[in-house]
Amino acid sequence: MNGNHERSTQGKRSKNNPNGTTQKNSTSSSKSRQSANSANARRSSQNTEKAISIKKNHFASAERKPVTVVWGDSIVQNVRRWKLSRSNKVVVKSFSGATTSDMEDYLKPIIRKCPEGLILHVGTNDLLSIQTPQQIAENIVNLADQIRDQIESDSPGTLVTISAICVRKEDELWKKATEINKLLKSFCSNRGWGFLPHISIDSSCLNASGLHLNRKGVSILSSNFLTHIDNI
């Protein structure tokens, strides 16, 4: 009789819980739902973070203007950067009394900026040296080459422009500057760089000492920079 009762009990269990797995399946299903919900939550969070990141980058890109650096000797010291461009952020750095070789000591700050455009105005203080126009022109180009080589990895698209040496009052220096500018124009053409002439700057644009530009000269130089930068 006990055997019959046991079989009867097992039969009822079998009907109420076929294969004896309902409870296990329920637990497994619950865990699966929890796991799926957790995965969906992670994906949702990741998508939200990605959307925020894209939005931030979009606004950062939209707000950032291209950077152009005007880097040179004391001739550019009175140039006002905020007057040089409508479309670019312009940085003007001048080093009074610096020769082309001296300028090599000031490379790092320029390189760190990784500018979209670089205008190099040097050579004025080399005119009084015993160097030939060819040597001075080559030194200026070598300086520009150094800059391009050092920023190549971080800013390969930087557009290099060499600004012509402004004329001097003395005939000998005037001729020397003119010869250097001809050589620079040729070098720039061969390298695919820009060359910025200052044909309209003459002796009437120099101050009483004949060393620096007067107000008229600074105005013309600034206008030349502005036109060039906004057309880069």
Side-chain angles (χ1 to χ4, degrees), residues 141-204:
V141 172
N142 288 338
L143 178 64
D145 275 334
Q146 286 185 56
I147 297 171
R148 283 297 297 122
D149 290 344
Q150 294 189 47
I151 64 176
E152 182 69 33
S153 58
D154 296 325
S155 184
T158 296
L159 300 176
V160 175
T161 298
I162 292 182
S163 175
I165 297 175
C166 295
V167 298
R168 305 284 84 195
K169 281 187 175 180
E170 300 86 346
D171 287 342
E172 184 181 345
L173 298 183
W174 184 307
K175 291 177 182 178
K176 195 172 185 179
T178 301
E179 182 62 27
I180 292 169
N181 289 334
K182 288 180 181 178
L183 292 167
L184 289 175
K185 184 177 180 180
S186 177
F187 279 127
C188 288
S189 177
N190 292 337
R191 283 169 166 74
W193 298 346
F195 178 74
L196 180 56
H198 303 296
I199 300 172
S200 52
I201 294 180
D202 55 26
S203 58
S204 69

Side-chain angles (χ1 to χ4, degrees), residues 2 5 15 18 26 34 42 78 113 162 186 192 196 205 226:
N2 289 339
H5 177 72
K15 289 179 180 179
S26 176
Q34 290 176 356
R42 283 196 300 271
N78 293 319
K113 292 183 182 298
I162 292 182
S186 177
L196 180 56
C205 298
L226 186 152

Side-chain angles (χ1 to χ4, degrees), residues 81-150:
R81 63 180 179 81
W82 56 85
K83 294 183 178 181
L84 294 186
S85 178
R86 304 176 185 88
S87 58
N88 283 239
K89 175 184 177 182
V90 180
V91 178
V92 178
K93 294 291 184 181
S94 66
F95 303 90
S96 182
T99 62
T100 302
S101 59
D102 293 333
M103 296 293 283
E104 295 177 7
D105 298 329
Y106 308 115
L107 285 177
K108 287 186 178 180
I110 301 303
I111 294 168
R112 281 197 296 267
K113 292 183 182 298
C114 293
E116 279 77 11
L118 171 65
I119 298 177
L120 186 60
H121 188 100
V122 296
T124 305
N125 296 307
D126 297 84
L127 291 174
L128 293 174
S129 72
I130 61 173
Q131 296 180 92
T132 66
Q134 180 75 29
Q135 290 172 324
I136 294 173
E138 288 178 351
N139 288 341
I140 293 172
V141 172
N142 288 338
L143 178 64
D145 275 334
Q146 286 185 56
I147 297 171
R148 283 297 297 122
D149 290 344
Q150 294 189 47

Side-chain angles (χ1 to χ4, degrees), residues 40-67:
N40 289 335
R42 283 196 300 271
R43 282 194 294 270
S44 177
S45 177
Q46 290 171 350
N47 289 336
T48 300
E49 290 176 359
K50 185 177 181 181
I52 292 173
S53 177
I54 291 173
K55 192 173 183 180
K56 284 182 178 179
N57 290 336
H58 170 75
F59 283 116
S61 177
E63 293 171 1
R64 184 186 182 279
K65 288 185 176 181
V67 175

